[in-house]
Amino acid sequence: MPVTLQRIAVFCGASCGNDPEFALAAQALARCMAAQGIGLVYGGGTVGLMGEVAREVMRASGNDDNAVLGFIPAALAPKELSGEMIGKLTIVDDMHTRKAQMAQHADGFIALPGGRGPTGCLKR
């Protein structure tokens, strides 16, 4: 029996990593998901690869707020939120709750690279 994916949780960094290709890959993944009608569950941030994936899913989904669900711990909100919120955002108590909520709302999981690097990704 085929599995229908409604939402995929994408785990990635609040930075862009040390290679500009990471941001391009995140954007390509987001476009692929949106083209197949698959929504995003993510860490809720608007910076780094998290922001890249979320903004691109929103854009490619016609700015449908239901296409993006974010979960962010209150302690990280000042560091990982910059500018306008993306999709539906829930502020949670801690990292454990963040990951549990992401798992509860997702039908599958993808991990992208990231880590050290700037929070603002470079565009080509």
Side-chain angles (χ1 to χ4, degrees):
M1 173 187 284
V3 175
T4 301
L5 299 175
Q6 294 182 345
R7 288 193 176 95
I8 294 177
V10 176
F11 290 89
C12 53
S15 73
C16 295
N18 56 9
D19 187 335
E21 293 296 320
F22 293 166
L24 296 174
Q27 293 165 1
L29 170 65
R31 287 189 297 274
C32 181
M33 288 171 59
Q36 296 180 53
I38 299 171
L40 171 68
V41 178
Y42 82 119
T46 59
V47 296
L49 293 180
M50 278 194 286
E52 293 294 321
V53 171
R55 273 188 295 280
E56 194 65 21
V57 167
M58 279 291 289
R59 188 198 64 71
S61 298
N63 293 317
D64 176 5
D65 278 344
N66 293 313
V68 177
L69 298 179
F71 297 94
I72 189 165
L76 291 180
K79 290 169 43 176
E80 294 184 2
L81 294 176
S82 173
E84 199 170 315
M85 300 305 102
I86 304 167
K88 293 185 177 181
L89 180 67
T90 301
I91 297 177
V92 297
D93 291 333
D94 52 40
M95 288 294 283
H96 176 76
T97 305
R98 176 196 227 179
K99 291 179 183 178
Q101 287 295 312
M102 289 174 71
Q104 180 180 343
H105 289 88
D107 302 308
F109 304 89
I110 295 174
L112 296 178
R116 296 181 186 256
T119 57
C121 298
L122 303 173
K123 306 279 190 230
R124 284 194 196 180

